[in-house]
Amino acid sequence: MDLIQIKGGNFLEGEINISGSKNASLPMVIASLLTKDKVIIRNIPNLSDVSTLLELIETLGSEFELKNENNSSYKLIIQTKKIKNNLASYNLVRKMRASFWVLAPLILRYGEAKVSLPGGCAIGIRPINFYLSMLEKMGALITIKDGYVQASVRNNLKPINYKLDFPSVGVTHFFLMMSSLIEGESILRNAAMEPEVISLAKMLNKMGAHITGHGTNKIIVKGCSYLKGLDIISPPDRIEAGTYALALAATGGKLKLNSISIREIETLRYLLENTDVNIKSHKNSIELIKKNRIIQPTDIETKPYPGFPTDLQAQFMALMTYSKGRSRIKETIFENRFMHVQELVRLGAKIELQSDTAIVDGVKKLYGAPLMATDLRASASLIIAALRAEGTSTIRRVYHLDRGFDKIEEKLKSCGAAIERKRDKNE
Ligand code: EPU
């Protein structure tokens, strides 16, 4: 296994190409299974979560080819003429929860599915009750046995008028895929409004679906009987871009983020400007300049889109550990997304947890230490903290990082960070 070593203190200066979005690409790849035609998805990021999903869908009958288009993106050519197998095994679903969404194409094209329950994960319990109640309302028969959800369709599936208790991103993706191929009009209220939902809806519409209202909290889908192939581009990764923007805010310097526009990280704009990051917005790039190292304390609360994204909470907390005052960081999406706190404390951060809120008292300096990555975004927060810390930090279990950040150490190194990936001799 690898570790990442960082000698803190350098400014960041240079350009970073933002990869395709992980959380947009994963549902788009799964949606390709809704048609027997060829689907091309460009700007697929080079991440282990993508490889895990491809491994799974190959077992279901998909054939694919990944072509390197440029250094940071791939073209995926995928075709699923026939679903040959309706089983998504525990071994693959446990590695990456989004795999659970294959339940939609399996039910729609095979008529029955056996998909492993994903289980909890480092950031929360993450139940699947909304998926199951939605499926039941659509007319599927569901049993849970031996750790698997078994779903089958006896008669035709029926359209639904459904209100989510919480605007779940995954359940909204699931609704879009299912209702696109269920004849009649389906309505989802309190739907997630995340950009990744919009990307999936646009893809499905290009495939022949009739979806309106995506990007609002009420989505209406007029189902059709057939979806066709298409050629589409996955959007840039707003969380990757936000992570580099927060790293720049911590270290100071000048960064140009390519292949992304400021609209994608609008929720961060005010927070960055509030801490003296000067932003120049171009059509397809963002320039960020931070001349000093003073960080303003800021309170945030994670919220569904357009609120502050939970996927940037850990990285924002890393920045606040250097602020000149007290910040309150409230996590409202996942009940356990604070695993990074104890690691940041190992660097010398002053953080107290009060149920769903972290009280961060900024300190002048953090000091390098051995650290353990606990989940994907937590790993990124440790990198941000270590980039400014005095001395050397080593971050172990970086496989968490490889799930969602393409070549993070190379991208940061090209901007002047003293960062290396090494074999971990102690593992
Ligand atoms: N929830 C339920 N029941 C359900 C489904 C969800 O109670 O049946 C709850 C969850 O437990 C959670 C809340 O609803 O408390 C929101 O979860 P959501 O379903 O929106 O999350 P998700 O679809 O599983 C996606 C992203 C996450 C991101 C969240 C929130 C992907 C592959 N994953 O997860 O990304 O944090 O939306 O924006 O798109 C990450 O990339 O690091 C990551 C965790």
Side-chain angles (χ1 to χ4, degrees):
M1 254 182 262
D2 291 350
L3 58 77
I4 283 182
Q5 198 169 63
I6 299 174
K7 188 166 181 301
N10 294 2
F11 290 102
L12 289 176
E13 185 148 7
E15 295 191 23
I16 290 178
N17 291 332
I18 298 302
S19 301
S21 158
K22 167 178 90 73
N23 288 351
S25 299
L26 296 173
M28 288 167 83
V29 171
I30 294 176
S32 77
L33 272 74
L34 297 172
T35 175
K36 53 183 171 37
D37 296 349
K38 189 188 278 181
V39 170
I40 297 175
I41 310 174
R42 298 168 196 270
N43 203 28
I44 290 277
N46 180 18
L47 302 171
S48 65
D49 269 9
V50 173
S51 317
T52 304
L53 181 59
L54 292 176
E55 200 184 326
L56 168 64
I57 61 173
E58 199 167 29
T59 68
L60 305 178
S62 306
E63 287 175 3
F64 64 85
E65 203 184 332
L66 259 183
K67 286 190 179 162
N68 195 196
E69 285 204 302
N70 59 47
N71 207 11
S72 60
S73 84
Y74 284 79
K75 173 164 102 174
L76 175 66
I77 306 159
I78 187 163
Q79 188 161 21
T80 314
K81 288 185 186 150
K82 195 167 179 251
I83 304 259
K84 294 181 183 147
N85 167 30
N86 69 343
L87 172 77
S89 73
Y90 176 62
N91 231 354
L92 291 169
V93 178
R94 80 180 160 85
K95 283 195 201 160
M96 205 248 315
R97 297 181 60 85
S99 311
F100 182 73
W101 302 334
V102 297
L103 190 55
L106 290 183
I107 294 178
L108 289 163
R109 286 189 63 194
Y110 200 94
E112 54 189 60
K114 188 174 171 188
V115 176
S116 171
L117 287 162
C121 75
I123 62 176
I125 307 170
R126 304 183 81 178
I128 53 156
N129 52 330
F130 303 157
Y131 294 90
L132 300 185
S133 86
M134 179 180 278
L135 258 182
E136 268 173 348
K137 287 215 162 62
M138 287 169 170
L141 298 172
I142 296 166
T143 45
I144 302 213
K145 207 171 157 232
D146 307 328
Y148 282 80
V149 176
Q150 301 189 22
S152 59
V153 184
R154 197 168 291 158
N155 301 308
N156 283 346
L157 291 167
K158 45 182 193 283
I160 54 166
N161 185 335
Y162 191 90
K163 184 166 188 246
L164 277 170
D165 289 341
F166 185 90
S168 155
V169 175
V171 182
T172 306
H173 288 328
F174 189 73
F175 168 83
L176 288 174
M177 290 191 240
M178 289 296 298
S179 55
S180 288
L181 283 173
I182 296 177
E183 274 182 48
E185 183 179 275
S186 290
I187 299 175
L188 184 66
R189 282 168 296 128
N190 200 21
M193 302 192 286
E194 267 69 2
E196 294 74 21
V197 166
I198 300 178
S199 300
L200 178 63
K202 281 186 177 164
M203 171 173 176
L204 290 165
N205 277 344
K206 257 188 123 177
M207 292 169 82
H210 304 286
I211 302 169
T212 52
H214 40 293
T216 75
N217 62 5
K218 184 176 171 191
I219 300 181
I220 302 174
V221 183
K222 292 194 175 74
C224 57
S225 54
Y226 169 81
L227 293 175
K228 58 179 190 288
L230 85 166
D231 185 335
I232 195 164
I233 304 174
S234 181
D237 197 312
R238 63 190 176 105
I239 302 302
E240 187 197 22
T243 300
Y244 289 124
L246 291 168
L248 183 271
T251 61
K254 192 174 167 190
L255 263 192
K256 185 162 176 240
L257 304 178
N258 294 323
S259 309
I260 186 130
S261 77
I262 190 71
R263 268 182 298 119
E264 311 273 350
I265 56 165
E266 199 58 53
T267 34
L268 261 193
R269 186 186 197 142
Y270 160 76
L271 296 167
L272 290 167
E273 283 173 346
N274 187 41
T275 206
D276 271 353
V277 177
N278 186 286
I279 301 176
K280 283 189 196 151
S281 151
H282 306 286
K283 195 166 169 237
N284 203 23
S285 65
I286 310 168
E287 271 179 273
L288 304 156
I289 302 161
K290 166 91 173 153
K291 289 197 172 133
N292 58 43
R293 284 195 158 185
I294 301 165
I295 311 293
Q296 296 299 338
T298 314
D299 297 346
I300 57 151
E301 187 172 329
T302 63
K303 283 274 164 71
Y305 192 84
F308 188 92
T310 174
D311 292 345
L312 284 175
Q313 178 258 106
Q315 299 90 313
F316 193 81
M317 191 185 298
L319 178 65
M320 287 305 112
T321 60
Y322 289 106
S323 79
K324 56 183 185 108
R326 172 170 283 194
S327 316
R328 286 173 188 78
I329 298 182
K330 186 169 175 181
E331 172 59 55
T332 72
I333 312 288
F334 294 110
E335 67 282 3
N336 196 26
R337 209 170 201 181
F338 281 133
M339 302 280 276
H340 43 284
V341 167
Q342 287 316 316
E343 298 301 306
L344 291 172
V345 165
R346 302 198 73 252
L347 293 170
K350 285 202 174 127
I351 309 172
E352 191 193 319
L353 271 183
Q354 292 180 359
S355 70
D356 62 358
T357 303
I359 316 285
V360 184
D361 283 310
V363 292
K364 281 210 175 101
K365 272 187 187 172
L366 298 184
Y367 298 91
L371 302 166
M372 200 70 90
T374 49
D375 82 68
L376 167 57
R377 309 304 176 187
S379 325
S381 85
L382 302 184
I383 289 196
I384 292 175
L387 282 173
R388 176 160 164 175
E390 192 173 295
T392 301
S393 301
T394 44
I395 306 174
R396 296 200 150 74
R397 300 201 180 151
V398 293
Y399 53 84
H400 288 293
L401 210 55
D402 297 334
R403 293 187 55 189
F405 291 95
D406 183 15
K407 301 187 210 75
I408 192 167
E409 70 284 358
E410 285 179 29
K411 290 184 181 185
L412 286 169
K413 194 172 181 176
S414 75
C415 296
I419 180 169
E420 300 286 344
R421 181 185 278 256
K422 296 181 170 172
R423 290 292 307 162
D424 185 355
K425 293 185 192 124
N426 295 332
E427 283 278 348

